[in-house]
Amino acid sequence: MKKNILLLLLLFSTQILSAQRFFSVVFNELPKDLQVFQRNDKNEAEVKISGIIELTGWSYMSAWVTRNNQKYNYRRSNFQYGSNGIGTFSFSSTIKAELADYNFDVYACRGTDSVLIVSRKNVAAGEVFLINGQSNGAAYAVDYLPYNFTNKYCRTFGLPEFGKPFTEADTLWSQSDYTVGVWGLELQRLLLEKYQMPTCVINGSVHGTQIDSHQRDNGNPTGLGSIYGRLLYRAKKARVDNNFRALFFWQGESDIIDSDPWQYPGKFERLYSSWQTDFPNLQKYYIFQIGILNVKNYGSGVLRDYQRQVQDIHKPKFESIATVGNTGFDGGHYTNEGYITFANEIFRRIERDYFGVKTATNVSSPNIRRAFYTSEAKNEIALVFENDQEMIWKNDTTLLNRDGSLIKQFMKDYFLLDNTLGNVTSGRASKNTIILTLKNPSSAKKISYLLPYYPYFDTENRKFYGGPFLQNKLGVMALSFQDVSILDKEPDPAQKLASTPIAAKVNFYDSITLSWQLVTGATQFILERKDSTNAYKVIKTLDGTTTSFTDINLKPNTLYTYRIQAINNVVTSDYAIAEAKTNALLDKPVFEIEIISKTSLKLKWNSVRNVTSYTLERKTPTDKDFVSFKTLSASTVTLIDSNLNSNTLYVYRIKALGDKTESPFTQVEATTPALLKTPELTFTIIYFDALKISWKTIAGATSLKLERKSGTEDYKQIALLDGKLTEFQDKDLKPNTTYNYRLKAFGDKTESLETSIN
């Protein structure tokens, strides 16, 4: 038996060295050291092992599984050989979600012989989470010291060295450290200590990024050139993309600072559609509603209100988390204490949703359900939150100004009626309702809680808004809201519902935004869609406080008809109907490339009808993916790209952009010419007034430029020679004089380096 094993090992080594197919095992599925598998409802995870063997005569593949170095179970799979002599195998082992190390030793076996093929150590089952967004999602290296905690059951995957870009080689499981983020790491600690639960957190957040930077590159979804691609690449390499617990997304600040917040809903819906494609089994999305920034942009409130409504738009997969009012806020980021507070709030949601804590109330961020005048006098407004919320009214907060003085701010001052402050005199809480007393009777139709940006007053000298805030009895902050409709009276569920006018606005060739008005008494809206080839189909069920929806992934140049119906538990409304036709795609540009020289290329394309601009991207051999290169006006149809490297492949793609549409990309490529060989000069003295300069034949040369100088004078051209020549006699020179010569070869769109001799 020992002789057979030695022979097999020798064959295996020979196969590695010579790449001959003597003996090899290829695994399709196999755990990695330190890997965490997402647990199921039975608190277990199935670890699969499968693959092929490329040597006949073997009987089966087996695995010994140990738990904390004690034998746990044994699994085996007989080889199923095909006519090509390759055998297949597949088996699995179930492990428990617990603080235990499971090791796998996998053997190839025949008769009494067995060879250890591979070992995997410290495999676990538990909870797997993904985090994405910008700096508050990253929650490390912002303005404060790193939060350090480590435990061998708190793990991550693909952790690059800090400060260096992520690469395809960053595919190792490891213990989590501060680069997982303060609140991600603290969540792991809480689950470890209370539930003895192994965890994996993969954080793909990038500081200072707009939502455009988080979109999927449909041409290369896992490309490391995009934020989306890097996270998806890590998830796939970790084999969790089809089975992990939740995705946390904290982003939006940069869209207020550097972009158009009104465009955010459509862009987010496009991102969500990508998530659905790549994470089809994802159970839950937790979306953070960003805080109030010191940026004068009314659209800030629009963006935040969408982040509030998204949990109703995509119910029940989404939950919105308020960030206003948390401790440690500096106007943009949070202290470690603040991030730890978030981790505790997230932890309460996780244990409610996945650890059977069914009695948990006041865990979610309170979200307004409806607002209405309490009487015909219209001097009081009721703000109703979810039934399981118990609201409290915090009258005021004392804060420190930047000049060192103290300032008292009052909750009543941070409600806007029809975008106007100063109409509320007091407030009180009653169970799940906040009741506002007004200074005068009001006819306002909209109400907002918290300012769209801060400071909103010209006399304010604090850097950021510090409170007070609406919250529930556990101190969980309410989601801010903007322009929620105020109903004339409390809705009567038994009353016949009115229909609501619906409007359809085309955003792009593949998206349409629908908007409508609130309906008194409605608890939900049913939105349906049809095109010329299909009957009406329900595309979304929306909460009764929702007034808009963006429909994405539509076909270009297509007429869509929508209808909406308001409902409650008793009655429905009549349908309201709207139509919109998506824009046609622009024609694909005809794209050409011309080599000008070894360092420049000329790009040419035709003028596309109805174009407003062109976007040009480029990829070099060192780029993982295309990089944005130029945005060009509609009148531009040529571009010379210069200062390039010689003998290098450059790939370009261009698309035309129009009014709410675009064309597909067109791609071209070219390799710049290589440099000609540098001439090697020698000289021969012919006489006191004559020299001969010689060189070897230069392949590809069509002409040669020879220059000369003596003393302090500049080089001057003395001859332009045929490229086939290999010498030149220079006569009528001055005796006893030093001359310097230099020669350069020229070819078809290329040249050599200059060389000189004296």
Side-chain angles (χ1 to χ4, degrees):
M1 184 179 73
K2 290 182 179 179
K3 181 178 179 181
N4 290 337
I5 293 175
L6 289 173
L7 176 60
L8 181 60
L9 290 174
L10 177 61
L11 290 174
F12 187 38
S13 300
T14 305
Q15 186 270 334
I16 294 175
L17 294 173
S18 65
Q20 298 177 20
R21 288 175 52 184
F22 290 108
F23 180 90
S24 69
V25 176
V26 180
F27 289 95
N28 299 324
E29 292 185 280
L30 184 71
K32 299 280 187 72
D33 290 347
L34 293 174
Q35 185 164 353
V36 178
F37 289 88
Q38 175 62 49
R39 70 186 180 113
N40 58 25
D41 292 339
K42 297 180 180 180
N43 206 43
E44 298 172 336
E46 183 182 18
V47 180
K48 297 179 180 179
I49 301 175
S50 66
I52 62 173
I53 186 171
E54 297 182 315
L55 183 67
T56 59
W58 291 81
S59 304
Y60 60 91
M61 190 72 78
S62 68
W64 272 108
V65 185
T66 62
R67 175 185 177 277
N68 292 338
N69 296 319
Q70 300 296 316
K71 287 186 177 180
Y72 177 71
N73 64 30
Y74 173 78
R75 293 289 184 268
R76 60 179 282 176
S77 171
N78 292 335
F79 293 123
Q80 304 295 320
Y81 281 100
S83 58
N84 58 0
I86 295 177
T88 61
F89 63 91
S90 177
F91 56 91
S92 64
S93 176
T94 299
I95 63 175
K96 297 178 181 179
E98 58 179 343
L99 300 186
D101 295 321
Y102 288 88
N103 297 339
F104 292 77
D105 292 328
V106 184
Y107 297 84
C109 305
R110 64 179 178 188
T112 58
D113 292 346
S114 64
V115 175
L116 177 64
I117 302 301
V118 68
S119 293
R120 290 293 185 259
K121 306 297 183 184
N122 303 321
V123 178
E127 294 291 316
V128 181
F129 304 101
L130 268 58
I131 298 174
N132 211 354
Q134 54 184 107
S135 54
N136 281 315
Y140 71 86
V142 180
D143 293 320
Y144 305 101
L145 293 175
Y147 171 65
N148 290 310
F149 167 78
T150 187
N151 184 279
K152 70 175 183 175
Y153 293 108
C154 299
R155 299 172 186 173
T156 188
F157 178 84
L159 192 65
E161 186 178 347
F162 178 70
K164 293 187 177 181
F166 187 85
T167 70
E168 292 179 350
D170 294 319
T171 55
L172 294 178
W173 287 85
S174 60
Q175 290 183 198
S176 296
D177 65 10
Y178 68 92
T179 55
V180 165
V182 176
W183 57 267
L185 193 55
E186 176 68 5
L187 176 62
Q188 290 186 281
R189 187 188 69 82
L190 292 168
L191 288 167
L192 174 80
E193 293 186 355
K194 182 170 182 178
Y195 291 103
Q196 292 74 57
M197 185 59 59
T199 53
C200 166
V201 171
I202 302 176
N203 194 331
S205 303
V206 178
H207 298 236
T209 50
Q210 299 176 24
I211 196 168
D212 284 337
S213 302
H214 288 267
Q215 299 296 341
R216 185 180 195 261
D217 180 354
N218 294 329
N220 187 13
T222 57
L224 302 187
S226 69
I227 298 171
Y228 188 100
R230 290 192 293 274
L231 183 64
L232 179 59
Y233 176 84
R234 292 167 71 184
K236 283 183 174 295
K237 287 295 182 179
R239 290 166 48 193
V240 300
D241 55 309
N242 285 319
N243 191 18
F244 66 98
R245 182 65 78 188
L247 171 66
F248 297 95
F249 190 69
W250 190 339
Q251 189 277 331
E253 294 92 343
S254 288
D255 290 84
I256 290 172
I257 298 170
D258 300 317
S259 189
D260 181 0
W262 277 271
Q263 300 298 319
Y264 192 86
K267 293 176 180 179
F268 184 90
E269 291 295 330
R270 184 170 297 180
L271 177 59
Y272 173 52
S273 177
S274 299
W275 287 338
Q276 289 179 295
T277 298
D278 292 313
F279 305 129
N281 300 320
L282 180 54
Q283 300 179 30
K284 194 72 174 275
Y285 300 86
Y286 295 94
I287 307 300
F288 291 84
Q289 184 194 53
I290 65 171
I292 303 173
L293 302 187
N294 185 11
V295 178
K296 192 174 183 179
N297 190 334
Y298 189 78
S300 302
V302 175
L303 187 153
R304 294 203 315 270
D305 199 63
Y306 172 77
Q307 291 176 330
R308 174 187 71 88
Q309 293 189 57
V310 72
Q311 63 183 352
D312 295 322
I313 295 172
H314 298 296
K315 197 173 185 178
K317 276 199 166 186
F318 276 66
E319 181 170 344
S320 301
I321 300 174
T323 64
V324 293
N326 205 331
T327 186
F329 185 57
D330 67 358
H333 305 122
Y334 297 82
T335 60
N336 285 352
E337 182 184 3
Y339 288 127
I340 289 170
T341 301
F342 282 120
N344 279 273
E345 289 197 6
I346 296 166
F347 174 69
R348 288 199 292 267
R349 290 168 168 87
I350 294 297
E351 64 175 356
R352 174 201 63 192
D353 294 342
Y354 307 113
F355 287 84
V357 184
K358 300 301 183 183
T359 59
T361 59
N362 295 282
V363 169
S364 295
S365 300
N367 182 21
I368 188 169
R369 299 289 82 197
R370 57 188 177 274
F372 58 87
Y373 290 104
T374 61
S375 68
E376 292 184 1
K378 292 189 174 181
N379 57 4
E380 215 176 49
I381 297 175
L383 308 177
V384 181
F385 295 83
E386 295 95 340
N387 291 335
D388 64 348
Q389 296 285 357
E390 186 173 341
M391 303 300 294
I392 64 172
W393 174 267
K394 188 173 183 181
N395 190 59
D396 56 66
T397 297
T398 300
L399 301 166
L400 184 67
N401 267 338
R402 284 186 289 180
D403 62 7
S405 63
L406 296 178
I407 182 174
K408 182 174 285 189
Q409 296 186 160
F410 296 89
M411 187 75 264
K412 65 180 179 62
D413 295 329
Y414 293 93
F415 292 93
L416 297 88
L417 302 182
D418 286 348
N419 299 325
T420 303
L421 293 168
N423 296 308
V424 179
T425 60
S426 63
R428 66 184 187 276
S430 175
K431 297 182 180 179
N432 67 326
T433 302
I434 296 292
I435 301 162
L436 304 177
T437 302
L438 307 184
K439 186 182 298 183
N440 299 301
S442 175
S443 60
K445 299 297 184 183
K446 303 281 187 180
I447 186 168
S448 301
Y449 158 60
L450 296 185
L451 308 172
Y453 57 88
Y454 190 87
Y456 200 69
F457 317 109
D458 291 338
T459 57
E460 181 57 60
N461 72 348
R462 276 182 56 78
K463 181 181 177 182
F464 57 89
Y465 179 64
F469 300 93
L470 289 179
Q471 52 194 278
N472 64 24
K473 71 174 185 178
L474 293 184
V476 180
M477 300 298 167
L479 295 159
S480 68
F481 54 84
Q482 181 160 307
D483 292 337
V484 169
S485 295
I486 308 172
L487 304 177
D488 287 333
K489 61 181 179 179
E490 185 172 10
D492 180 1
Q495 183 180 355
K496 172 72 175 177
L497 297 181
S499 62
T500 174
I502 183 173
K505 178 184 176 183
V506 175
N507 299 317
F508 210 52
Y509 71 86
D510 62 351
S511 68
I512 294 172
T513 293
L514 293 306
S515 59
W516 56 90
Q517 298 175 4
L518 292 180
V519 173
T520 301
T523 58
Q524 288 182 319
F525 292 103
I526 307 298
L527 186 62
E528 301 176 51
R529 178 189 69 208
K530 72 170 184 175
D531 59 27
S532 58
T533 60
N534 296 302
Y536 278 110
K537 179 181 179 181
V538 175
I539 59 171
K540 206 69 187 174
T541 299
L542 302 159
D543 187 85
T545 62
T546 306
T547 58
S548 67
F549 174 75
T550 299
D551 196 13
I552 63 173
N553 294 332
L554 301 176
K555 294 179 288 187
N557 197 31
T558 302
L559 178 66
Y560 289 94
T561 304
Y562 297 87
R563 67 182 186 184
I564 193 169
Q565 186 178 47
I567 66 171
N568 62 26
N569 294 332
V570 181
V571 294
T572 64
S573 72
D574 295 329
Y575 284 107
I577 296 176
E579 290 184 341
K581 186 177 182 180
T582 52
N583 293 341
L585 287 170
L586 297 182
D587 293 335
K588 198 174 181 180
V590 178
F591 200 16
E592 298 177 352
I593 192 166
E594 176 186 346
I595 297 173
I596 297 177
S597 72
K598 64 180 176 60
T599 59
S600 61
L601 299 169
K602 184 176 183 180
L603 307 170
K604 300 182 291 184
W605 57 93
N606 66 309
S607 179
V608 175
R609 188 165 54 92
N610 297 325
V611 68
T612 57
S613 63
Y614 298 95
T615 182
L616 183 64
E617 299 179 357
R618 183 179 72 184
K619 182 169 69 172
T620 69
T622 60
D623 294 325
K624 294 289 185 182
D625 202 354
F626 282 96
V627 177
S628 179
F629 181 50
K630 294 283 186 182
T631 299
L632 304 159
S633 67
S635 60
T636 304
V637 292
T638 61
L639 176 76
I640 294 178
D641 191 10
S642 55
N643 297 323
L644 303 176
N645 296 322
S646 61
N647 195 28
T648 302
L649 175 66
Y650 289 90
V651 185
Y652 300 85
R653 65 182 186 183
I654 193 171
K655 69 178 174 181
L657 304 178
D659 182 22
K660 300 178 181 178
T661 187
E662 63 186 23
S663 74
F665 275 110
T666 307
Q667 184 170 307
V668 295
E669 62 181 52
T671 299
T672 52
L675 285 169
L676 297 181
K677 185 177 180 180
T678 303
E680 298 178 4
L681 300 182
T682 60
F683 72 93
T684 303
I685 298 173
I686 298 175
Y687 206 54
F688 71 90
D689 62 349
L691 292 172
K692 182 173 71 173
I693 308 299
S694 303
W695 56 90
K696 294 180 180 179
T697 301
I698 301 170
T702 58
S703 63
L704 301 157
K705 182 175 71 172
L706 182 63
E707 297 176 306
R708 182 190 69 201
K709 75 170 184 175
S710 65
T712 59
E713 64 184 16
D714 294 332
Y715 276 106
K716 293 180 181 179
Q717 181 175 317
I718 60 171
L720 185 62
L721 307 170
D722 186 280
K724 297 178 181 178
L725 294 179
T726 58
E727 63 178 42
F728 176 80
Q729 291 188 13
D730 196 9
K731 301 177 180 179
D732 300 325
L733 302 175
K734 296 177 183 179
N736 195 31
T737 302
T738 298
Y739 288 93
N740 295 278
Y741 295 87
R742 66 184 184 188
L743 184 69
K744 176 184 281 192
F746 294 89
D748 182 20
K749 300 177 182 178
T750 187
E751 61 190 37
S752 72
L753 299 176
E754 288 181 323
T755 188
S756 61
I757 193 171
N758 63 70

